[in-house]
Amino acid sequence: MNTREIKNRISSIEQTYKITNAMYLIASTKLRKAKSDLDKTKPYFNALKKGIKRIFRINSDIENRYFYPMHSEKPQAKGSACLVITADKGLAGAYNQNVIKATLKLLNEEKDVKLYVVGEYGRHFFTEHHYKIESDFDYTANNPSMHRAREISRKLLDIYDKKEVGKLFIIYTDLKSGMKGEAISNRVLPFHRATFQDLDDKEKVLTNIEYYPDIKTILNNIMPSYITGYIYSALVDSFCCEQEARMTAMSQANDNAKAIISDLKLMYNHVRQSQITQEITEVCGGAKAKLNKEGF
């Protein structure tokens, strides 16, 4: 490899480094914004959960279509729906592959599963591998919003309320502490009563609350909002994990680019030094030959 080729190679890697560094900065900005939006909505949905807990304290044996019956673990209808949240593109390490692995595991365990996929990467994968997905469910994974979560929740609750499916799963990447994501599979519907009966000892038990018009009606209105919040949280957590994974991938790419450029510059100096040494040798050899020819 001559000096021109090495210089072209260095220039090419420097251009790639500029791109990966820009992607790192963009992912960092998107991550901060998404976390800020999620933090703004958490108090409302935490209050909803506390309200549901209070209802079960007053009447623990209340029946509701969003919960398993009191003495049964069987859903009201056969079949399942699965909301899968992937990214729209790759370049994010193993982020998409982990979600797909969790989905394939669920498909092996459950029968008659309807797939609702968020993100172009997941839709492309399942289509290419001949899995049937709901084609009219075309949502992007970028910039999750409460409006989008409401639309998704409305579609999923519609098929659940019509008893077309008996269970609803969500597979997404949960944002763990330390900004490390983990692909998880959760059954959202029907809920176990224990989910809302795990009381906090520090929280005061209020039993003198009046509900209007009645507890059943209020619970039927609260649960869809709570599920919407759960879906919105899953969308944002997945989006944050995607950006974190992309930041990690781009950071590693930047480090690799720097290392390659350093090695190429060292190679360039060696090749250039060899060329200079060869030129000096040729000049000295030519001068010596000329002197010998002239009889010196």
Side-chain angles (χ1 to χ4, degrees), residues 231-282:
I231 291 174
Y232 176 65
S233 176
L235 289 171
V236 176
D237 276 350
S238 293
F239 184 71
C240 289
C241 290
E242 176 195 347
Q243 302 310 316
E244 188 274 334
R246 183 162 292 115
M247 287 170 59
T248 300
M250 293 304 102
S251 177
Q252 292 174 351
N254 290 342
D255 293 340
N256 291 337
K258 291 177 181 178
I260 293 172
I261 290 173
S262 177
D263 292 341
L264 287 174
K265 286 184 176 179
L266 184 61
M267 183 187 298
Y268 176 83
N269 291 334
H270 287 166
V271 172
R272 181 59 182 154
Q273 186 177 8
S274 298
Q275 289 178 343
I276 293 172
T277 302
Q278 184 178 355
E279 290 173 0
I280 293 173
T281 302
E282 290 174 353

Side-chain angles (χ1 to χ4, degrees), residues 9 21 38 44 46 61 67 80 94 101 104 107 122 124 134 165 168 177 186 198 212 221 240 243 256 285:
R9 177 69 172 158
N21 191 52
L38 179 62
Y44 171 72
N46 288 337
D61 59 349
F67 293 85
S80 304
K101 286 179 182 178
L104 294 177
L107 292 175
H124 177 75
E134 300 301 317
V165 297
L168 171 62
S177 60
N186 278 345
D198 183 17
Y212 180 84
N221 282 275
C240 289
Q243 302 310 316
N256 291 337

Side-chain angles (χ1 to χ4, degrees), residues 113-289:
V113 179
K114 292 185 177 182
L115 280 179
Y116 294 82
V117 184
V118 174
E120 189 59 34
Y121 189 100
R123 286 192 291 269
H124 177 75
F125 175 87
F126 290 111
T127 301
E128 287 293 314
H129 290 77
H130 309 292
Y131 287 94
K132 184 180 179 181
I133 63 174
E134 300 301 317
S135 57
D136 61 337
F137 194 83
D138 190 14
Y139 291 97
T140 177
N142 278 327
N143 304 318
S145 64
M146 183 60 69
H147 175 71
R148 191 181 306 158
R150 289 193 184 99
E151 288 185 347
I152 293 173
S153 176
R154 191 180 304 116
K155 288 189 176 184
L156 296 176
L157 288 177
D158 182 58
I159 62 172
Y160 181 81
D161 291 337
K162 291 178 179 178
K163 296 187 178 180
E164 295 178 11
V165 297
K167 290 184 284 186
L168 171 62
F169 295 89
I170 297 183
I171 298 178
Y172 69 103
T173 308
D174 189 25
L175 190 64
K176 298 293 184 181
S177 60
M179 300 299 291
K180 295 298 181 182
E182 177 185 351
I184 61 173
S185 174
N186 278 345
R187 192 201 67 253
V188 177
L189 291 174
F191 286 102
H192 279 294
R193 296 167 186 272
T195 305
F196 298 96
Q197 292 175 339
D198 183 17
L199 304 181
D200 187 352
D201 294 334
K202 296 180 180 179
E203 190 176 350
K204 294 181 180 179
V205 179
L206 302 176
T207 57
N208 58 342
I209 300 176
E210 294 184 4
Y211 290 94
Y212 180 84
D214 56 70
I215 290 179
K216 185 176 180 180
T217 302
I218 291 173
L219 197 59
N220 285 335
N221 282 275
I222 288 178
M223 291 308 300
S225 295
Y226 179 77
I227 294 166
T228 297
Y230 190 99
I231 291 174
Y232 176 65
S233 176
L235 289 171
V236 176
D237 276 350
S238 293
F239 184 71
C240 289
C241 290
E242 176 195 347
Q243 302 310 316
E244 188 274 334
R246 183 162 292 115
M247 287 170 59
T248 300
M250 293 304 102
S251 177
Q252 292 174 351
N254 290 342
D255 293 340
N256 291 337
K258 291 177 181 178
I260 293 172
I261 290 173
S262 177
D263 292 341
L264 287 174
K265 286 184 176 179
L266 184 61
M267 183 187 298
Y268 176 83
N269 291 334
H270 287 166
V271 172
R272 181 59 182 154
Q273 186 177 8
S274 298
Q275 289 178 343
I276 293 172
T277 302
Q278 184 178 355
E279 290 173 0
I280 293 173
T281 302
E282 290 174 353
V283 170
C284 292
K288 185 176 180 180

Side-chain angles (χ1 to χ4, degrees), residues 46-60 196 199 203-207 209 211 215:
N46 288 337
L48 278 182
K49 189 171 184 178
K50 288 182 179 179
I52 298 169
K53 283 185 176 183
R54 292 192 183 103
I55 290 176
F56 276 97
R57 292 174 189 172
I58 296 173
N59 190 349
S60 60
F196 298 96
L199 304 181
E203 190 176 350
K204 294 181 180 179
V205 179
L206 302 176
T207 57
I209 300 176
Y211 290 94
I215 290 179

Side-chain angles (χ1 to χ4, degrees), residues 42-84:
K42 276 185 175 180
Y44 171 72
F45 293 106
N46 288 337
L48 278 182
K49 189 171 184 178
K50 288 182 179 179
I52 298 169
K53 283 185 176 183
R54 292 192 183 103
I55 290 176
F56 276 97
R57 292 174 189 172
I58 296 173
N59 190 349
S60 60
D61 59 349
I62 187 172
E63 295 289 351
N64 186 273
R65 66 180 183 273
Y66 297 117
F67 293 85
Y68 278 117
M70 277 291 295
H71 305 291
S72 175
E73 292 293 324
K74 294 182 179 180
Q76 297 178 354
K78 294 182 179 180
S80 304
C82 181
L83 175 63
V84 182

